[in-house]
Amino acid sequence: MDANPTLLSFPGGDTPLSIRAKAAVFADQTSRALLQQLERIAPSTMPVLVIGETGTGKELIARHIHQLSGRKGPFVAVNCGAISEQLAESELFGHEAGAFTGAIARREGWFEAAHHGTLFLDEIGDLPLPLQVKLLRVLQEGEVVRVGARKPIPVDVRLLAATNVDLGDAVAAGHFRLDLLYRLNIAQLRLPPLRERRGDILPLVEYFIGRYSQRLQMEQPLLSDDAVQALLDYAWPGNIRELENVVHFALLVASAGEIRAEHLKLAGAPTRTTAQPTGADVHAPPLAVIGQQLRALFASGQPGLYNELEQLILSEAYRNSGYNQVRAAALLGISRNVLRTLLKRHGMLRDSESAPAWRGAAVAA
């Protein structure tokens, strides 16, 4: 393993938790091989299809490709699963004033916004079939036509796409166009799940411990041997974003400057709530245990505690519901609208339905 493996992280790394992976390392042998492949194809202009499970860091990979490509334009990321089908064409290709009800002014689409740069279409398999036809034409012709216009606009955009589903199966089911798949799949990068690159687990844990210890204004705790073993043994179905949440929670409940196995809330793992810190009532109900930990946090004088706790409750409910808003709202006993407001407040929901979320390039350290 390299002494200092390559780290990728989002700009503004101190933003609140979100549903995406916000860091990736290339320490494991499998990851280093992926990095070498990425570095070979990054300088070209060919489309790249990134395949990987949810939470593995596909957008970080796309950002790194853009950074290494030398392209001078921006990196624009779009979640195809969050596009309103009624407005999808306008979002991608732009529209003229009066093109449809509510189009009060001319607006450029994501392709124009990414001119001379890179457009990253995440979850490309969710793009409606009519849009797939128009996307294919843009890739072939190198120009877009705004809704309500006739004149084509040339665009110089490198397209990167990502999916967590088998697009071959989607083609067989009639949900994805074979000709578009051929066009996108010129270069393919498979991003393995975290369970297949275990050499990345502890470097990621160290990164998130450092990041959240700084945010919580606390000294970085040590990892006990049993915690290290538990982290390495766990299958990480939620990949990097689950690991981030687990580390954040462990820092809130750990004591005596050490994270132990019982501080790790691992979904599907044996329950560890009976192993409480010294002095705790092992038979106490969960809310009583939380109350005890709250009193300890109050005594520490930690700033911003309410915001941290609200964020933790939301992230845990969202994760345990499989990132389904309806189920998460039911778990918390609130409406879906209230949940969406809270998710947006804490940066866990990208407001892609109303406006593009322009974001900067990846940071490689």
Side-chain angles (χ1 to χ4, degrees):
M1 181 187 300
D2 295 339
N4 296 297
T6 300
L7 166 71
L8 305 182
S9 62
F10 277 96
D14 291 330
T15 53
L17 285 171
S18 70
I19 64 171
R20 65 188 179 190
K22 293 200 293 298
V25 297
F26 298 90
D28 189 273
Q29 183 177 358
T30 300
S31 298
R32 294 202 305 271
L34 174 69
L35 180 61
Q36 292 174 357
Q37 184 184 4
L38 181 156
E39 290 172 341
R40 287 195 298 269
I41 66 176
S44 73
T45 59
M46 69 177 67
V48 180
L49 181 62
V50 184
I51 299 174
E53 294 181 4
T54 300
T56 49
K58 296 187 291 296
E59 185 173 337
L60 285 166
I61 293 295
R63 287 172 175 269
H64 197 46
I65 292 173
H66 170 72
Q67 186 183 52
L68 297 178
S69 71
R71 296 184 69 83
K72 303 303 181 183
F75 176 88
V76 177
V78 178
N79 184 347
C80 295
I83 300 177
S84 165
E85 188 166 353
Q86 291 74 25
L87 298 176
E89 183 176 358
S90 168
E91 294 291 333
L92 281 172
F93 310 125
H95 64 252
E96 296 293 330
F100 52 85
T101 302
I104 58 176
R106 174 185 295 176
R107 177 181 169 187
E108 68 177 14
W110 285 312
F111 270 93
E112 288 180 76
H115 190 48
H116 295 311
T118 302
L119 177 62
F120 172 59
L121 297 182
D122 196 8
E123 303 308 341
I124 186 73
D126 292 336
L127 198 65
L129 279 169
L131 265 294
Q132 294 179 27
V133 177
K134 295 181 179 180
L135 174 60
L136 181 62
R137 182 183 178 279
V138 172
L139 295 178
Q140 292 171 339
E141 305 296 333
E143 57 187 25
V144 298
V145 178
R146 292 176 178 169
V147 178
R150 295 183 178 180
K151 182 180 179 181
I153 301 172
V155 287
D156 172 19
V157 172
R158 186 190 190 171
L159 186 70
L160 307 179
T163 180
N164 62 1
V165 300
D166 188 322
L167 291 182
D169 291 344
V171 169
H175 301 315
F176 202 81
R177 293 182 61 91
L178 181 60
D179 48 4
L180 179 57
L181 176 57
Y182 285 147
R183 187 75 185 188
L184 294 173
N185 203 23
I186 297 174
Q188 183 184 116
L189 290 175
R190 179 184 177 269
L191 185 52
L194 196 54
R195 61 184 173 274
E196 294 181 13
R197 42 189 171 112
R198 296 194 176 275
D200 293 346
I201 293 175
L202 293 183
L204 282 167
V205 170
E206 292 173 4
Y207 169 77
F208 287 125
I209 285 178
R211 175 184 166 189
Y212 280 106
S213 294
Q214 184 178 25
R215 285 189 58 199
L216 296 170
Q217 298 184 350
M218 59 185 292
E219 291 187 11
Q220 292 190 30
L222 300 174
L223 278 174
S224 68
D225 291 341
D226 64 337
V228 169
Q229 195 59 51
L231 290 165
L232 293 175
D233 289 344
Y234 185 57
W236 298 108
N239 292 293
I240 297 171
R241 71 184 184 191
E242 181 184 11
L243 184 146
E244 179 182 4
N245 288 354
V246 166
V247 170
H248 188 199
F249 179 80
L251 286 170
L252 290 174
V253 300
S255 57
E258 183 180 53
I259 294 177
R260 300 190 298 275
E262 60 261 29
H263 300 139
L264 303 173
K265 186 175 181 182
L266 304 174
T271 258
R272 303 181 187 273
T273 53
T274 54
Q276 301 296 336
T278 304
D281 180 358
V282 297
H283 301 295
L287 284 177
V289 175
I290 293 173
Q292 181 186 43
Q293 296 299 329
L294 278 174
R295 289 189 289 275
L297 290 170
F298 293 152
S300 70
Q302 178 183 318
L305 181 58
Y306 180 85
N307 186 68
E308 292 285 343
L309 291 173
E310 183 179 70
Q311 175 182 308
L312 179 62
I313 292 170
L314 283 169
S315 65
E316 288 299 315
Y318 207 20
R319 180 171 66 86
N320 278 278
S321 66
Y323 303 98
N324 180 287
Q325 293 177 23
V326 175
R327 290 200 294 267
L331 281 177
L332 297 174
I334 58 179
S335 71
R336 182 169 180 255
N337 286 340
V338 170
L339 178 75
R340 284 180 60 84
T341 299
L342 294 172
L343 290 174
K344 289 179 182 178
R345 179 191 305 166
H346 288 279
M348 301 182 200
L349 185 67
R350 288 179 283 187
D351 193 13
S352 302
E353 296 181 358
S354 58
W358 312 136
R359 297 188 290 275
V363 176

